[in-house]
Amino acid sequence: TSLAFVALVATMILSAFFLFSTSVTSSTNEQTLTASQQVLANYETYFDSVITVSNNVLGAYSNATGTDLSSYFNTLESFKPEIVDMSLYKASDGTYLSGDSKAVHSKTAGDGNWFTSPNNNHLINFFSPVTAAGVTNTFTLSRYLTFDKDRSLDAVLKVDFDFAKIVNTVSKASLGEGGRFIIYTKDYQMIYTSSDSGEFTAPEQALVKDLVIGSTSVNFDGHYFYLYAATITNTSWRVAIFTNQDALQTAIFRFTLIITLVGAAVIAIFITVLVIVANSITNPIKKLQKEMVEIESLNYQTALQSEIGGTSEVVELNRSFNQMMGRITELTSAIVSEKEEQRKSELKALQNQINPHFLYNTLDSIIAMIDKGENEKAEEMIVALSKFFRISISKGQNIIPLPNEIEHARNYLLIQKMRFGDSFSYTIDVEPGLEKYDVVKLILQPIVENSIGHGLKEEEQGHIAIRAYSDGDNLKFDIQDNGYGMTPEKVNELLASFKDDTVYQGVGLKNVYQRIRIYYGDKADVLISSEEDVGTTVTIVIPKMEALHDKA
């Protein structure tokens, strides 16, 4: 669109330039041609009057009673101030016959080039810059006169005219700066020039020769001129008129400059308006695109913070988009809530896997004691079991204070100690200051249970050590036994089972791993270090910051 508009404006500028240039040039040339033709007409009128003078003398001489026309000459000169000198010579031998009274005339025509034969009648044929009378720029007319009464007295008339009279009718100012007119012969010899140089220069001659007759525009001497050339009637001369047209070229240049500036301003305004309009359309779309980018990065709230203006279509699109995102946000919140509930349900289900498992083992121990008649020990175990389950239930809370979890493991060890007697011993070491932390309940008992049931050697007294301590940003629980231990392959297999639901490696360790990962995330972990015939250490890692707050 912009290129098309620029092309349109450029076309209009060029069209306006050509129309203006053509129109003004044509009009100016017509006016200049008319003025030049008027100058030529003035010259021709003048020379017609010169011929009329010779015709009058011809008539007067033909009818005269004698050859003395001095009185007649003086009368003509009184009416024609441009006449400088008039004289009459006998055609046969050039003897002086008559003349005016203003000058001393030659007694014979001699070999003057004005002296003409009957075949060269009434010819303006000579131009002189200075005459004997001191008149500048004169020309001579010679005319063969017949004397009807005596043909032997046929004569030649010689009349000198002051050329300045006609030259002064053409003002240099009317031709403009550098303007001039030149009178020259048919072989391009100068008769007269109005130029300051006083010469018919070679460049001027070249221009005139190229034109011959007619008119044209030329660039000469640092100026633009309209050149007009024509033949002067009743003479053997031509005239070339150079009229300055710098004003025309200046007008065309100024018009071109103005229309170019106007065109540039129009283009600039158009582009500015186009940019503003385009931005008013594209900026809202860019904002909408930015919102979509925010959506791609899951930043829903930032994307929906502002209302987007613009055209009705963009506003409607933004409204629909916001409605869609609002609905997506609602659905996302619902999904998150459902996932949270699912997480809690999974946590409860995993904890429920612990309670029956431990209860079965403990009840088996109590039954065994009763079978052996150890009723008091059975009663004591039932009391310990009661305390154990009181902490296990914890009024339905999944997160309990860390000391309660330690006490829960202690009750379990007491029950198992009563069951197995002196087959193992245990120690519990808790670092001071850990009372402020809460942990997922029932994370120690399953590991202790595995140590007693699978780790301790039957033929040797076993030992279980529980240690709770702070390690940087984490809480750690070490459950260590001196039992059989495991091979590295077995350890890797057990660790791999934590993340693979298709692999079953018992309830305890995997259950604890899954529960702490559900609640504490990726920062929580269960580590296993074991050596055959030396023992096994299981370390539970819980981030401190998460343990400061109840997340259940």
Side-chain angles (χ1 to χ4, degrees):
T1 303
S2 299
L3 292 177
F5 181 78
V6 171
L8 176 62
V9 173
T11 301
M12 293 176 63
I13 290 175
L14 290 175
S15 298
F17 166 77
F18 285 121
L19 288 175
F20 177 81
S21 176
T22 303
S23 176
V24 172
T25 301
S26 176
S27 176
T28 303
N29 286 347
E30 287 180 3
Q31 294 176 5
T32 306
L33 176 61
T34 300
S36 299
Q37 290 174 339
Q38 182 60 50
V39 171
L40 176 63
N42 291 341
Y43 278 105
E44 291 181 337
T45 300
Y46 176 82
F47 286 116
D48 283 343
S49 67
V50 169
I51 298 301
T52 300
V53 169
S54 68
N55 289 336
N56 292 337
V57 174
L58 173 63
Y61 188 67
S62 296
N63 300 320
T65 57
T67 59
D68 185 8
L69 296 179
S70 58
S71 176
Y72 184 72
F73 288 165
N74 290 333
T75 301
L76 284 177
E77 289 177 358
S78 66
F79 290 102
K80 296 286 185 178
E82 63 269 23
I83 298 176
V84 176
D85 178 84
M86 297 182 70
S87 56
L88 193 65
Y89 296 85
K90 189 176 180 181
S92 59
D93 57 8
T95 303
Y96 174 78
L97 296 177
S98 177
D100 60 22
S101 60
K102 291 193 299 184
V104 177
H105 302 283
S106 299
K107 297 304 180 180
T108 179
D111 59 355
N113 57 5
W114 56 267
F115 193 76
T116 182
S117 67
N119 295 328
N120 294 320
N121 205 10
H122 56 79
L123 179 67
I124 300 174
N125 61 356
F126 181 71
F127 187 91
S128 174
V130 181
T131 64
V135 179
T136 303
N137 294 330
T138 64
F139 67 90
T140 300
L141 177 144
S142 59
R143 180 74 179 271
Y144 190 91
L145 306 179
T146 59
F147 191 68
D148 294 337
K149 297 181 177 60
D150 185 356
R151 293 300 302 274
S152 65
L153 294 178
D154 286 356
V156 174
L157 173 67
K158 174 179 177 290
V159 185
D160 293 331
F161 289 87
D162 182 3
F163 192 61
K165 301 294 184 179
I166 183 60
V167 167
N168 291 336
T169 63
V170 181
S171 170
K172 286 186 179 181
S174 65
L175 301 179
E177 182 180 358
R180 69 203 71 179
F181 63 91
I182 303 170
I183 298 176
Y184 55 94
T185 65
K186 291 182 179 181
D187 57 357
Y188 301 97
Q189 297 299 312
M190 185 188 75
I191 300 300
Y192 174 81
T193 179
S194 66
S195 66
D196 295 334
S197 66
E199 298 178 355
F200 189 21
T201 63
E204 292 173 334
Q205 289 184 33
L207 293 173
V208 172
K209 287 179 180 180
D210 288 341
L211 178 62
V212 183
I213 298 295
S215 62
T216 187
S217 295
V218 297
N219 187 353
F220 169 69
D221 201 19
H223 299 283
Y224 292 94
F225 293 100
Y226 182 84
L227 172 61
Y228 175 76
T231 300
I232 303 176
T233 305
N234 293 324
T235 73
S236 59
W237 301 335
R238 293 177 181 173
V239 63
I241 303 173
F242 291 81
T243 304
N244 185 291
Q245 287 191 330
D246 287 344
L248 171 63
Q249 300 301 321
T250 300
I252 293 175
F253 172 77
R254 288 179 178 175
F255 177 80
T256 303
L257 179 62
I258 292 173
I259 196 171
T260 301
L261 292 176
V262 170
V266 170
I267 292 174
I269 293 173
F270 172 79
I271 292 176
T272 301
V273 172
L274 184 63
V275 170
I276 294 173
V277 173
N279 286 339
S280 68
I281 296 174
T282 59
N283 284 344
I285 296 177
K286 289 179 180 178
K287 289 182 180 179
L288 189 58
Q289 180 188 25
K290 184 178 180 181
E291 288 187 358
M292 292 180 178
V293 172
E294 294 289 348
I295 295 300
E296 289 180 359
S297 62
L298 303 181
N299 190 358
Y300 297 156
Q301 294 303 320
T302 300
L304 298 174
Q305 284 180 353
S306 61
E307 289 292 332
I308 296 177
T311 62
S312 58
E313 292 83 359
V314 174
V315 172
E316 181 62 24
L317 180 60
N318 180 64
R319 186 187 65 80
S320 300
F321 176 76
N322 286 340
Q323 288 180 347
M324 178 188 70
M325 291 311 305
R327 181 57 178 163
I328 290 176
T329 302
E330 292 177 2
L331 294 175
T332 302
S333 299
I335 291 173
V336 170
S337 179
E338 291 175 1
K339 287 293 183 181
E340 180 67 18
E341 291 299 323
Q342 181 182 358
R343 183 184 68 83
K344 292 180 179 180
S345 298
E346 290 175 351
L347 180 60
K348 291 180 180 180
L350 289 170
Q351 289 175 340
N352 290 336
Q353 292 180 13
I354 293 295
N355 294 335
H357 181 67
F358 169 68
L359 179 59
Y360 297 152
N361 291 337
T362 304
L363 291 177
D364 285 343
S365 298
I366 293 173
I367 292 172
M369 289 180 183
I370 294 174
D371 287 342
K372 294 178 182 181
E374 299 174 349
N375 294 332
E376 291 182 1
K377 292 179 66 175
E379 181 181 354
E380 185 178 352
M381 185 176 289
I382 290 172
V383 173
L385 182 62
S386 174
K387 292 180 180 179
F388 175 84
F389 274 109
R390 186 178 297 112
I391 295 176
S392 295
I393 296 172
S394 300
K395 299 181 181 180
Q397 298 296 318
N398 294 318
I399 305 299
I400 63 175
L402 184 146
N404 289 1
E405 178 63 18
I406 296 295
E407 183 63 24
H408 185 266
R410 192 189 308 276
N411 286 327
Y412 177 78
L413 284 167
L414 177 60
I415 293 170
Q416 296 297 65
K417 177 69 174 173
M418 292 176 64
R419 177 184 174 192
F420 295 106
D422 294 330
S423 62
F424 75 92
S425 61
Y426 66 87
T427 58
I428 298 176
D429 181 19
V430 180
E431 181 182 301
L434 301 185
E435 298 83 2
K436 61 183 178 180
Y437 295 105
D438 297 334
V439 296
V440 177
K441 67 184 178 181
L442 306 183
I443 57 174
L444 298 178
Q445 177 269 331
I447 301 174
V448 172
E449 181 179 353
N450 281 345
S451 295
I452 295 174
H454 305 288
L456 297 180
K457 300 176 181 179
E458 294 182 0
E459 68 276 6
E460 298 179 8
Q461 185 180 27
H463 182 76
I464 297 175
I466 299 176
R467 180 182 173 219
Y469 60 97
S470 174
D471 183 14
D473 293 333
N474 298 316
L475 293 176
K476 289 188 176 180
F477 298 90
D478 289 344
I479 301 93
Q480 183 179 13
D481 66 57
N482 61 346
Y484 293 108
M486 294 179 284
T487 63
E489 292 77 13
K490 181 64 177 178
V491 171
N492 291 334
E493 182 182 349
L494 189 58
L495 291 174
S497 70
F498 293 170
K499 301 178 182 179
D500 189 352
D501 292 335
T502 64
V503 178
Y504 179 76
Q505 293 289 340
V507 176
L509 278 173
K510 185 172 184 178
N511 179 277
V512 172
Y513 175 81
Q514 289 179 334
R515 285 191 292 129
I516 63 174
R517 295 284 285 195
I518 288 174
Y519 188 78
Y520 298 112
D522 295 341
K523 294 181 180 180
D525 204 356
V526 174
L527 308 176
I528 300 175
S529 175
S530 184
E531 185 178 350
E532 285 188 286
D533 296 327
V534 175
T536 300
T537 301
V538 177
T539 301
I540 300 173
V541 181
I542 295 176
K544 284 183 179 179
M545 291 302 296
E546 296 295 330
L548 284 172
H549 305 285
D550 185 359
K551 300 295 182 181

